[in-house]
Amino acid sequence: MLKSGAEASFRNPRLEFDAAETQLLCFLRRRKHLTVYHTSRFGELTVDEDRDVIVIPEGVIGFAERKRYVLLEDPDQQPFMWLQSLEEPALAFVTVDPLLFFPDYQVQVPKDDVALLEIEKPEDARVLVIVVVREEASKITANLKGPIVLNPQNRRGKQVVLMDDRYQTQHPLLAQLPETQEI
Amino acid sequence: MLVLSRRRDESIMIGDNVEITVVEVRGDVVKLGVRAPREVPVHRKEIYMTIQEENIAAARASAQDISKALEAVRQKTAAPPKPRDTKAEEPDKN
């Protein structure tokens, strides 16, 4: 269990139970390759190493050494998702499916990147863009110049730099939303 | 900084795997060809720097930022937009 020595010494009365619990959790973790990661925003995350981990071999630009992430998709926070680093507890990006906000958005993934991600069909790829929430919440921007392209099959990803001049790093997220929307 | 003079069609090598060739010189524009292994990312510096700055700004997001963003989206629309069926197009050109 991930407990500091100091904390454990206060827990002596539960030592037996903790040992059993630890054994059980170790067994479950071995079976499913579960690992607990500490994050600065969300506390401890239990990650299934075989199913949850997204590898970005080249890192996110500016964070080249950070290659392993998980995507936190909380239904209450849809459509926003956190891309959380597993190597740096404080590193996480707010991301969103760009098509919800920019229906005409087109991502042309260079051939080399298609090969790197082993994408077989374009429709298999999942595209996310990184969002910056500014002081004034209405001025949220999305980086359409550098989308994160993921292959959900092998959980590989890359921040692709688009050559397309229509796209910049700071597109107002809410600009294209209709004022009212029928439910 | 190492400064090298090169003519058209001449190259420099960086390590064993990266080759940069002067493809064309016209006025104050130099066209360079870069041959590098797939794992070496190559970008125009200014675009790379802008994306890097944006990523650094994004990485400072606090846990409450999603709530702020959600609130802003809800204020703008009655409900968050519905997912669409279409995906981004990624024609395998090149």
Side-chain angles (χ1 to χ4, degrees):
Chain A
M1 299 284 290
L2 298 179
K3 292 198 178 82
S4 66
E7 197 187 339
S9 66
F10 290 111
R11 296 172 57 90
N12 271 341
R14 291 191 62 221
L15 204 58
E16 262 186 49
F17 179 72
D18 271 0
E21 189 186 40
T22 305
Q23 257 185 351
L24 177 64
L25 272 174
C26 283
F27 169 72
L28 286 174
R29 273 181 206 149
R30 250 200 315 280
R31 208 175 53 143
K32 285 190 73 179
H33 296 116
L34 298 183
T35 312
V36 175
Y37 290 91
H38 176 74
T39 65
S40 63
R41 294 175 188 76
F42 318 107
E44 287 184 351
L45 291 181
T46 303
V47 170
D48 183 338
E49 298 284 341
D50 296 327
R51 298 182 55 190
D52 298 335
V53 179
I54 292 167
V55 175
I56 302 182
E58 295 170 4
V60 173
I61 295 170
F63 303 91
E65 302 307 314
R66 304 288 176 247
K67 299 171 193 292
R68 302 176 74 245
Y69 293 83
V70 282
L71 194 62
L72 306 176
E73 301 178 73
D74 181 343
D76 292 339
Q77 298 188 325
Q78 272 181 350
F80 298 101
M81 295 158 276
W82 285 98
L83 187 64
Q84 167 71 50
S85 164
L86 294 177
E87 292 153 324
E88 188 174 328
L91 182 61
F93 302 95
V94 179
T95 63
V96 78
D97 174 351
L99 291 185
L100 298 174
F101 295 90
F102 307 96
D104 304 325
Y105 186 47
Q106 289 190 330
V107 175
Q108 286 212 12
V109 182
K111 203 174 157 194
D112 282 353
D113 296 338
V114 170
L116 173 80
L117 299 176
E118 297 168 358
I119 296 171
E120 285 171 14
K121 289 175 290 181
E123 58 268 30
D124 290 345
R126 183 168 182 195
V127 177
L128 303 175
V129 292
I130 296 178
V131 164
V132 176
V133 182
R134 299 178 191 276
E135 203 56 42
E136 200 179 325
S138 60
K139 295 203 172 119
I140 306 164
T141 59
N143 180 355
L144 300 192
K145 191 71 175 173
I148 308 259
V149 179
L150 301 174
N151 179 354
Q153 309 295 322
N154 59 10
R155 291 172 306 282
R156 272 175 165 237
K158 169 164 172 141
Q159 185 168 30
V160 174
V161 179
L162 301 187
M163 302 298 273
D164 197 324
D165 290 333
R166 288 177 294 171
Y167 303 131
Q168 308 304 324
T169 53
Q170 298 183 358
H171 287 258
L173 188 70
L174 305 178
Q176 287 188 26
L177 278 189
E179 288 294 336
T180 53
Q181 191 164 345
E182 289 178 30
I183 304 168
Chain B
M1 185 192 291
L2 172 67
V3 178
L4 301 165
S5 297
R6 300 277 67 191
R7 297 176 193 282
R8 194 163 66 87
D9 294 334
E10 290 182 343
S11 303
I12 63 166
M13 293 295 298
I14 300 175
D16 294 335
N17 300 320
V18 179
E19 180 180 7
I20 297 171
T21 309
V22 178
V23 176
E24 186 188 297
V25 183
R26 191 186 293 172
D28 57 359
V29 177
V30 179
K31 270 192 190 168
L32 301 174
V34 181
R35 182 171 292 136
R38 194 190 293 152
E39 63 272 17
V40 178
V42 179
H43 301 291
R44 289 190 192 89
K45 184 178 177 182
E46 63 275 18
I47 293 178
Y48 185 86
M49 295 307 284
T50 335
I51 290 179
Q52 179 167 320
E53 280 167 25
E54 201 59 18
N55 285 345
I56 290 169
R60 282 197 292 263
S62 74
Q64 291 79 42
D65 275 1
I66 276 194
S67 317
K68 267 172 80 178
L70 275 174
E71 188 54 34
V73 172
R74 283 177 187 143
Q75 273 179 14
K76 186 86 192 269
T77 62
K82 300 258 185 304
R84 290 160 59 101
D85 294 333
T86 49
K87 286 270 178 184
E89 286 175 29
E90 289 151 306
D92 189 1
K93 286 179 182 172
N94 301 322

